[in-house]
Every structure is written in C-alpha cells, then in structure tokens.
Amino acid sequence: MTLTHIDQHGAASMVDVSDKSETTREARAFARIRMQPETLALVKNNGLKKGDVLATARIAGIQAAKQCSNLIPLCHPLMLSKVAVDFELNESLSSIDITSFCKLKGQTGVEMEALTAASVAALTIYDMCKAAELTMEIGEVHLLEKSGGRRGHYQRGSQEDAPQGTEE
C-alpha cells in the first residue's frame, strides 16, 4: 500500500484526479458524543438556552462537509449533491449517535466530507451543551461505508474491511 498524498520526494501533495472517470461516490460516517443523562434529557426536551441543539448541529455538519477542502489541506473542493446528518439519542449509553451521509458524481471520494460532517456536528453539540456539562466526550469517529471509485464498496466490519490500492 502506498500513501497517495506524498510525492516521490516525501513532500505533501494533492492527488491529481484529472484522469479518473466520474462515478457516483457516497460515504457514511459516524461519531458519538457521550454526556450525563441529565444533559441528554435537556437536549431531548429542548431545554438548553442556546436553542435547538440537534437542528443547529445538523446545519453545522452540512456546512462542514461543504467546507472540507478549506479545513483539510489536501482535500479537493467538491460539488456535493447530497449531505445529510442524522441523530439518535442513545439513552442506554447516555450519548447522541451521529451519522452523516455525503454523495456526489465526481472523480474523487467523499469520505473526508462525511467524517468532517459527523465530527463538526459532535463539536457543535458540545458547544451547545457546555453550559450544562463540560465532561462530555466525543469519540468513535469512523467511516461506516463508502462506494464508488476504483476501490469500490467498503463497509466497516465486513470481510473486506481494509480496501487495497490507491484512490482519493
């Protein structure tokens, strides 16, 4: 396996995707923010002074996906055709589970955009809830699934958990 963002001299380099064919690319990512049950109840009941936590985090995640190339230096600016951010209140773990989805038809993948959306949604939840609790923990950020491109389909936990080759 070779790193695609390092040139022959070991310097960071943006991958040239101009010769790649356009395909439909999709990615789903996950993040979890754990909090005290009382804080989760405040989110659930819309009881925080800053307003609707999940609505704000959804918009922040969508904006983050659209701004990914401004945040991650070697990412390509992409014309995303779809970004979605969804939440599940997980009372048994006292957490909010975040799932993001990004899609486009293009020459490079959208994994980083999906990961950025989930991460920034979690950070936004932290920001919205920090007046109630500072001990929240953000973690378990990972790619759930991707499709399109040379490496094809990847799904976390499947037999082919580690796709080979080069791409994005």
Side-chain angles (χ1 to χ4, degrees):
M1 177 185 291
T2 60
L3 298 176
T4 59
H5 289 78
I6 306 294
D7 70 13
Q8 65 271 22
H9 307 291
S13 174
M14 189 171 184
V15 174
D16 181 358
V17 297
S18 60
D19 290 334
K20 294 170 83 175
S21 59
E22 280 194 356
T23 62
T24 299
R25 318 279 186 130
E26 298 179 358
R28 289 187 314 114
F30 177 87
R32 173 173 285 149
I33 180 165
R34 293 178 187 262
M35 60 193 62
Q36 296 298 318
E38 299 80 16
T39 308
L40 186 61
L42 286 170
V43 172
K44 182 178 181 178
N45 298 319
N46 204 16
L48 290 151
K49 290 182 181 180
K50 285 192 173 184
D52 187 333
V53 173
L54 300 182
T56 304
R58 178 174 285 114
I59 296 299
I62 292 168
Q63 278 299 110
K66 292 166 41 178
Q67 295 297 315
C68 187
S69 66
N70 291 326
L71 300 168
I72 312 292
L74 301 178
C75 285
H76 294 84
L78 300 179
M79 292 296 298
L80 297 167
S81 58
K82 174 72 176 170
V83 179
V85 178
D86 294 304
F87 306 97
E88 181 180 336
L89 301 182
N90 187 331
E91 294 189 31
S92 67
L93 294 177
S94 193
S95 69
I96 300 174
D97 295 347
I98 304 158
T99 305
S100 64
F101 173 79
C102 293
K103 180 179 180 180
L104 62 65
K105 184 168 184 165
Q107 295 169 295
T108 191
V110 292
E111 296 92 333
M112 293 309 301
E113 288 71 15
L115 288 161
T116 300
S119 298
V120 169
L123 288 167
T124 301
I125 292 168
Y126 188 101
D127 178 54
M128 298 283 291
C129 298
K130 70 183 183 227
E133 177 187 350
L134 291 173
T135 61
M136 292 173 284
E137 294 182 9
I138 297 170
E140 302 178 50
V141 178
H142 54 263
L143 183 67
L144 291 171
E145 186 173 15
K146 64 115 2 248
S147 64
R150 278 186 232 166
R151 290 187 294 177
H153 185 255
Y154 160 85
Q155 187 164 2
R156 183 178 176 89
S158 66
Q159 298 262 353
E160 65 279 348
D161 202 41
Q164 301 298 311
T166 61
E167 186 170 339
E168 296 75 25

